[in-house]
PDB file of all heavy atoms in Angstrom:
ATOM      1  N   MET A 116      -2.998 -11.778  20.551  1.00  0.00           N
ATOM      2  CA  MET A 116      -1.604 -11.349  20.660  1.00  0.00           C
ATOM      3  C   MET A 116      -0.689 -12.531  20.988  1.00  0.00           C
ATOM      4  O   MET A 116       0.426 -12.634  20.469  1.00  0.00           O
ATOM      5  CB  MET A 116      -1.491 -10.266  21.727  1.00  0.00           C
ATOM      6  CG  MET A 116      -0.064  -9.743  21.937  1.00  0.00           C
ATOM      7  SD  MET A 116       0.701  -9.079  20.446  1.00  0.00           S
ATOM      8  CE  MET A 116      -0.346  -7.669  20.136  1.00  0.00           C
ATOM      9  N   GLY A 503      15.453  21.246  30.861  1.00  0.00           N
ATOM     10  CA  GLY A 503      14.719  20.516  31.891  1.00  0.00           C
ATOM     11  C   GLY A 503      13.210  20.552  31.733  1.00  0.00           C
ATOM     12  O   GLY A 503      12.480  20.115  32.642  1.00  0.00           O
ATOM     13  N   ARG A 571       1.583  -0.469  32.832  1.00  0.00           N
ATOM     14  CA  ARG A 571       3.011  -0.346  32.515  1.00  0.00           C
ATOM     15  C   ARG A 571       3.377   1.126  32.297  1.00  0.00           C
ATOM     16  O   ARG A 571       4.428   1.587  32.747  1.00  0.00           O
ATOM     17  CB  ARG A 571       3.314  -1.172  31.266  1.00  0.00           C
ATOM     18  CG  ARG A 571       4.718  -0.991  30.694  1.00  0.00           C
ATOM     19  CD  ARG A 571       5.796  -1.426  31.638  1.00  0.00           C
ATOM     20  NE  ARG A 571       7.108  -1.290  31.048  1.00  0.00           N
ATOM     21  CZ  ARG A 571       8.215  -0.997  31.710  1.00  0.00           C
ATOM     22  NH1 ARG A 571       8.172  -0.820  33.020  1.00  0.00           N
ATOM     23  NH2 ARG A 571       9.367  -0.903  31.096  1.00  0.00           N
TER      24      ARG A 571
END
Side-chain angles (χ1 to χ4, degrees):
M116 179 57 65
R571 172 63 178 148

